[in-house]
Amino acid sequence: MRRSLRHADAGLGEASPPPEDPGWNDSSSPDRRPAGFDRPRRARRRRARHRGRSPYPIVELLPGLIIVVAIVLDQVTPTAFTASPLFAAAPLVAAPFYSFARTLLVGIVSTAVFLGLHLGTGNLDNTSTISQGLNVFTVSVLALAINGVVRRSGERLASARVIAEAAQRAVLPTPAPRIGGLHIAARYEAAEEGAFIGGDLFAVQDTAYGVRLVVGDVRGKGMGAVETVAVVIGAFREAAEQESSLEGVAQRLERALAREGTRRSGIDLFEGFTTAVLAEIPHVEGMVRVVNRGHPEPLVLAADGALTVLAPSDPALPLGMGELGAWPDRADEIPYGTGSTLLLYTDGLTEARNAAGVFYNPRERLAGRIFPGPDELLEAIVGDVRLHTGGGSTDDMALLAVCRPTARQPERRRTMPVVP
């Protein structure tokens, strides 16, 4: 698993970028692809091959197997024994998983086979046989009704997911791939497949003071969390344009969440908070300013693979907890040269655990690695987290990567969707 983000020893020297272009690896050459890029891509191909398969392959075959078993039992058991319950069970099993047409076909086959077996033995005029046949027919009709209910429920659920995705995209739009001369990539990975509503957030704004960014995590889930996300992002976009300092932006967010808290009740009134990290990248200076409000520490990946952890000099409480203590925010300044990539993320990354309960450590996994751009970095991280956790996660994960490109770095880039 560790090889997913590790250079092969023999190719480590070849994978290093040329001195005159320190931030770019030519990914068109197979031996210069970034570590961790190949295996996630192969994993995606494997997942794509499996998408066409039913999540319940055994259940898909079960109605036919039940009919076959019923036929065998009818032939090898005494006449007093009836296999009609099995013939009736086949369409019931098919109803939740098959289409209407296939469920109808199973019902017709079950009824026809039952009647055909008794017609061959001359027992079709028996009152008991007729009653059993009617039971199989009635259950088959009931299975069609169940199939219709399940199908309508599935359609409503799919519609709700589409609405949830639209709401999430409206609140959390995809950043442009190039903002203020920087290359941007963002990913939102939901903990559950098909679930889009969550409390993770990110935003990027080009201002007169530089490119300003925020990544945060709202306590809670569902529509309440999405409302808070909308408040935070709205306040950030306004403050980023108006406040001359990053500390001022943080204070504006604090006040916005304080106003939001006055209209809440219950546990959200006392325990509502948002962890966040704000960053400012000036247009000219080769540095980045960071204000951290109780959020996982960002990372800077240099062009040569060196990794810097942006630990706050003065730890601060999350946003929305000003009543517990208030002190001036202080922005830390860290070098951010050409070819460097700033990585901001939520705790869904650091709290991803494997089967042994070991947390994912991005510092350990990324130290010394080189990637062609922010898209490839996020793609490799997501793939490596899936390998680490075995494909599952218990928390949403938002990732934002910002690269200061070199002079020779291409303008056209392949971008990744926010919600894959």
Side-chain angles (χ1 to χ4, degrees):
M1 185 184 300
R2 292 183 179 274
R3 290 183 300 179
S4 62
L5 287 172
R6 181 171 297 167
H7 286 290
D9 292 339
L12 184 58
E14 296 178 0
S16 300
E20 67 276 12
D21 192 9
W24 182 258
N25 277 351
D26 183 7
S27 59
S28 63
S29 176
D31 59 350
R32 292 170 63 121
R33 288 174 182 156
F37 182 62
D38 288 338
R39 284 186 67 177
R41 185 164 59 180
R42 291 196 296 268
R44 286 202 318 277
R45 287 199 294 263
R46 289 195 297 268
R47 288 194 300 273
R49 288 197 298 267
H50 288 288
R51 282 195 190 105
R53 299 183 181 179
S54 168
Y56 308 100
I58 297 179
V59 176
E60 285 281 332
L61 301 175
L62 194 54
L65 294 176
I66 291 175
I67 294 176
V68 172
V69 171
I71 295 173
V72 173
L73 289 178
D74 189 85
Q75 295 298 309
V76 301
T77 56
T79 306
F81 177 84
T82 175
S84 61
L86 291 178
F87 285 108
L92 282 178
V93 172
F97 306 100
Y98 280 21
S99 65
F100 182 86
R102 294 180 65 190
T103 303
L104 175 62
L105 179 61
V106 172
I108 293 174
V109 171
S110 293
T111 304
V113 170
F114 175 82
L115 296 178
L117 289 174
H118 287 274
L119 179 63
T121 59
N123 295 328
L124 194 57
D125 57 348
N126 186 285
T127 303
S128 177
T129 302
I130 295 175
S131 176
Q132 294 169 11
L134 288 174
N135 286 339
V136 174
F137 175 77
T138 302
V139 172
S140 298
V141 174
L142 178 62
L144 293 176
I146 294 174
N147 177 269
V149 171
V150 171
R151 189 174 65 255
R152 285 192 294 272
S153 298
E155 291 172 353
R156 285 195 293 268
L157 178 59
S159 177
R161 286 178 173 173
V162 170
I163 294 172
E165 181 181 2
Q168 183 86 347
R169 290 184 182 277
V171 174
L172 196 66
T174 308
R178 188 175 177 88
I179 299 177
L182 302 173
H183 287 180
I184 312 291
R187 294 287 293 269
Y188 189 101
E189 293 286 321
E192 298 180 7
E193 185 178 357
F196 299 100
I197 294 293
D200 291 5
L201 63 96
F202 49 72
V204 184
Q205 187 89 355
D206 190 10
T207 72
Y209 311 102
V211 177
R212 288 176 168 175
L213 315 96
V214 63
V215 169
D217 188 358
V218 176
R219 189 199 70 82
K221 299 289 184 182
M223 291 306 300
V226 174
E227 291 176 1
T228 304
V229 168
V231 170
V232 173
I233 291 182
F236 167 77
R237 294 199 181 281
E238 181 180 2
E241 294 285 352
Q242 298 176 356
E243 295 292 338
S244 60
S245 68
L246 197 60
E247 294 89 341
V249 176
Q251 289 301 312
R252 287 278 289 271
L253 297 185
E254 181 71 47
R255 292 194 293 271
L257 285 176
R259 291 193 301 270
E260 173 70 7
T262 59
R263 68 180 188 84
R264 294 183 176 272
S265 60
I267 192 172
D268 286 338
L269 178 61
F270 303 99
E271 296 189 7
F273 62 87
T274 299
T275 67
V277 59
L278 296 99
E280 177 183 280
I281 304 173
H283 293 302
V284 179
E285 304 172 61
M287 47 84 69
V288 57
R289 299 185 182 95
V290 176
V291 170
N292 194 324
R293 297 296 297 269
H295 198 76
E297 299 161 348
L299 307 175
V300 170
L301 286 72
D304 60 359
L307 185 145
T308 303
V309 180
L310 308 189
S313 56
D314 292 326
L317 292 174
L319 298 169
M321 301 183 71
E323 292 183 357
L324 300 180
W327 52 86
D329 286 297
R330 179 179 298 176
D332 297 301
E333 296 187 358
I334 301 94
Y336 182 63
T338 302
S340 297
T341 300
L342 174 66
L343 174 64
L344 303 98
Y345 52 89
T346 57
D347 59 8
L349 177 65
T350 53
E351 293 182 0
R353 290 184 289 184
N354 60 14
V358 178
F359 290 101
Y360 186 85
N361 189 340
R363 306 176 191 179
E364 174 187 330
R365 307 294 285 172
L366 296 174
R369 321 306 178 211
I370 300 173
F371 301 89
D375 282 318
E376 289 78 7
L377 169 62
L378 298 192
E379 186 176 6
I381 291 175
V382 170
D384 196 49
V385 169
R386 286 173 178 159
L387 291 174
H388 180 77
T389 61
S393 181
T394 59
D395 195 7
D396 296 346
M397 179 174 64
L399 304 169
L400 181 65
V402 182
C403 175
R404 187 187 290 278
T406 63
R408 292 175 52 194
Q409 189 159 344
E411 291 288 333
R412 299 186 63 183
R413 301 162 54 252
R414 177 173 54 83
T415 59
M416 302 298 294
V418 175
V419 182

